[in-house]
DNA sequence: CGGGATCCTGCACGATACTG
DNA sequence: CAGTATCGTGCAGGATCCCG
């Protein structure tokens, strides 16, 4: 068993389909959208304002994709003008802990990463 | 407290820097690379073969970025021809559980997501 | 208010060829 | 073996305008 044929333990087969799914859920904005929606239902522009830097088009795309994947629900409220509420679904909730853990990880290890970056960049001048 | 000024609980401020960090670590290939390296040290081409579909250029870029962020270590072994071994760092290990959980989540909820997708797509024909 | 339609640009990523 | 260099392309994602 050389190193070109690695041991295939439980989840080593995870590649195409699983990666594609993660791409849909953990893409540039989706993770932040889900995080916001975990706090409670939000409407489009409120959501938009709570995520600085997101373009309207990108947010729309992100929401559509999350809706398609069953992570969020889109509720249209027929007032004038129309209101649309987005809320996280049960399936979406199953990701909440992971998202929290992920975001927590960034805050916890941000400085270590910064140090590593500085070391790496400094080593290039050698 | 209207919905335009959301409650800012503990991690609501996570945006630019944190999102950028997650982008570097959870990008298209990095997550899979880290997953493979958690199983043990790997060499370039072995790693490549264990991740179907990755282009050599992309793998190089991914490894460089992970190295810069202190997630993996690059060890050059001066033989003929050269061998280069990649191994996960201590900092990288702190992500292992999250990665496992993430990959596990995809396997667990893949069918639910598929159902949601079918429902969504079917609703478009209405 | 909540988007859809367009235009535009960068860069992420793949393919191919070459090197110490 | 482990890359670097170069080229080509799609498409993600921003900016802008418009509509029910």
């Amino acid at each position: 068993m050389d190193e070109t044929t690695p041991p295939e333990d439980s989840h080593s087969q995870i590649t195409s389909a699983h990666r594609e799914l993660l791409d849909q859920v953990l893409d540039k904005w989706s993770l932040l959208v889900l995080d916001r929606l975990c706090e409670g239902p939000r409407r489009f522009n409120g959501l938009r304002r709570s995520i600085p830097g997101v373009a309207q088009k990108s947010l729309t795309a992100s929401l559509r994709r999350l809706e398609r994947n069953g992570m969020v629900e889109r509720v249209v409220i027929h007032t004038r003008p129309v209101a649309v509420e987005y809320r996280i679904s049960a399936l979406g909730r199953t990701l909440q802990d992971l998202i929290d853990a992920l975001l927590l990880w960034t805050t916890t290890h941000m400085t270590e990463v910064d140090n590593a970056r500085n070391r790496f960049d400094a080593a290039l001048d050698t």
Side-chain angles (χ1 to χ4, degrees), chain A residues 30-73:
Chain A
S30 296
L31 191 137
L32 291 181
V33 170
L34 286 175
D35 181 56
R36 294 303 183 275
L37 291 183
C38 278
E39 300 167 4
R42 304 288 288 255
R43 291 178 32 201
F44 189 83
N45 282 326
L47 200 50
R48 183 145 120 96
R49 275 186 296 271
S50 79
I51 305 179
V54 67
Q56 169 269 344
K57 178 185 175 180
S58 305
L59 181 57
T60 303
S62 189
L63 284 170
R64 282 292 174 281
R65 188 168 32 212
L66 288 175
E67 188 193 357
R68 188 173 110 92
N69 289 350
M71 310 298 296
V72 309
E73 284 151 15

Side-chain angles (χ1 to χ4, degrees), chain A residues 50 88 105:
Chain A
S50 79
I88 196 159
W105 183 89

Side-chain angles (χ1 to χ4, degrees), chain A residues 80-95:
Chain A
R80 275 300 322 265
V82 214
V84 177
E85 196 178 76
Y86 291 93
R87 47 178 67 237
I88 196 159
S89 70
L91 182 54
R93 283 248 181 253
T94 65
L95 258 181

